[in-house]
Amino acid sequence: MSKFTILVVEDEEAIRQMLIMVLQQYDFAVIEAADVAQAETILGDILPDLILLDWMLPKITGDKWARKLKSDDNYQDIPIILLTAKGEEADKIRGLDLGADDYVTKPFSPKELVSRIKAVLRRSGKIHDLTQIKFQDIVLDTKNHSVNIGEQAIEISPTEFRLLSFFLTHPDKVFNRTQLLDQVWGRSVYIEERTVDVHIRRLRKILVKYKREEWLQTVRGFGYKFSVKSS
Ligand code: CA
């Protein structure tokens, strides 16, 4: 099953661990950072589907970082939910003005948090339904692991399914082999980079059958991207 990845940036260890536990329970993949510096290092390797960002962080506060991300071409598409403490009404409004996609006030219930996350993921446009990922006429269902292109149900193995799912939720962005390994196979797995090429070839073979191979593009000297625009 393809998971959505959430980057949690929270300096308070106990709250961070609680957030991780809740998100994992709801089947999200979680990456954690205790401050903005750590979070920036992570973003160099992984593009999360959403950032859960605490407002009160040491050195650089969440609102400042949100503003920075939203003005950066590489990161502005990542939805941000700010976590604020009670009574920071003015801050909340400022947070939304700064481009945070939503805010959640502490303390919050796990249910509330997850429903906000799902709403923001849906609003981000790439995800119409958490179990369905649509891209042009490709519909991928993460619940029953099926892929349709147009009216046709296609045969696909689990790895190619995860790879396709990742590309469909991150269109028009170039990923190198290391990034694809981290995102699709996970950091804990040791796999050689050329394995990525093998699975890209297999995925391309499937797409050839349906004349969609031009969407899976090789970016010379860097990696791959999925796009309807020709590069
Ligand atoms: Ca804090």
Side-chain angles (χ1 to χ4, degrees), residues 45-79:
D45 294 331
I46 293 174
L47 284 181
D49 296 295
L50 184 140
I51 299 173
L52 205 52
L53 180 60
D54 185 33
W55 188 286
M56 291 308 291
L57 291 168
K59 291 179 193 147
I60 303 164
T61 53
D63 59 318
K64 289 210 181 88
W65 196 49
R67 194 194 300 147
K68 191 179 164 196
L69 290 177
K70 290 296 179 184
S71 63
D72 187 323
D73 284 350
N74 294 315
Y75 305 118
Q76 62 190 192
D77 292 339
I78 306 173

Side-chain angles (χ1 to χ4, degrees), residues 9-12 15 54-58 106:
V9 191
E10 164 66 75
D11 58 319
E12 281 163 80
I15 299 177
D54 185 33
W55 188 286
M56 291 308 291
L57 291 168
K106 295 179 194 172

Side-chain angles (χ1 to χ4, degrees), residues 7-175:
L7 171 61
V8 173
V9 191
E10 164 66 75
D11 58 319
E12 281 163 80
E13 171 83 26
I15 299 177
R16 196 169 68 241
Q17 293 312 323
M18 181 273 286
L19 289 169
I20 293 168
M21 210 182 73
V22 166
L23 294 172
Q24 285 176 343
Q25 261 170 17
Y26 282 87
D27 220 26
F28 291 104
V30 189
I31 326 163
E32 57 177 303
D35 55 32
V36 166
Q38 275 184 22
E40 284 190 332
T41 306
I42 289 166
L43 283 193
D45 294 331
I46 293 174
L47 284 181
D49 296 295
L50 184 140
I51 299 173
L52 205 52
L53 180 60
D54 185 33
W55 188 286
M56 291 308 291
L57 291 168
K59 291 179 193 147
I60 303 164
T61 53
D63 59 318
K64 289 210 181 88
W65 196 49
R67 194 194 300 147
K68 191 179 164 196
L69 290 177
K70 290 296 179 184
S71 63
D72 187 323
D73 284 350
N74 294 315
Y75 305 118
Q76 62 190 192
D77 292 339
I78 306 173
I80 298 172
I81 295 180
L82 273 173
L83 301 176
T84 69
K86 244 184 177 167
E88 291 173 337
E89 297 294 329
D91 286 352
K92 283 180 204 166
I93 294 153
R94 260 179 62 218
L96 292 176
D97 286 347
L98 292 173
D101 299 80
D102 201 357
Y103 62 88
V104 175
T105 309
K106 295 179 194 172
F108 45 80
S109 73
K111 244 188 172 161
E112 183 196 352
L113 178 69
V114 170
S115 74
R116 295 291 197 91
I117 288 172
K118 287 183 177 178
V120 169
L121 283 173
R122 271 194 293 268
R123 276 212 307 274
S124 72
K126 293 165 202 156
I127 301 140
H128 299 271
D129 182 321
L130 273 179
T131 62
Q132 272 198 353
I133 298 163
K134 290 177 189 162
F135 181 91
Q136 301 287 328
D137 59 350
I138 302 180
V139 180
L140 188 144
D141 194 308
T142 57
K143 210 169 184 181
N144 54 28
H145 264 230
S146 67
V147 181
N148 276 68
I149 297 182
E151 298 291 295
Q152 289 169 292
I154 70 166
E155 262 183 60
I156 191 164
S157 71
T159 306
E160 279 75 64
F161 181 89
R162 290 206 307 276
L163 193 57
L164 181 62
S165 156
F166 177 73
F167 277 128
L168 298 192
T169 50
H170 301 80
D172 302 321
K173 290 204 172 92
V174 186
F175 296 96

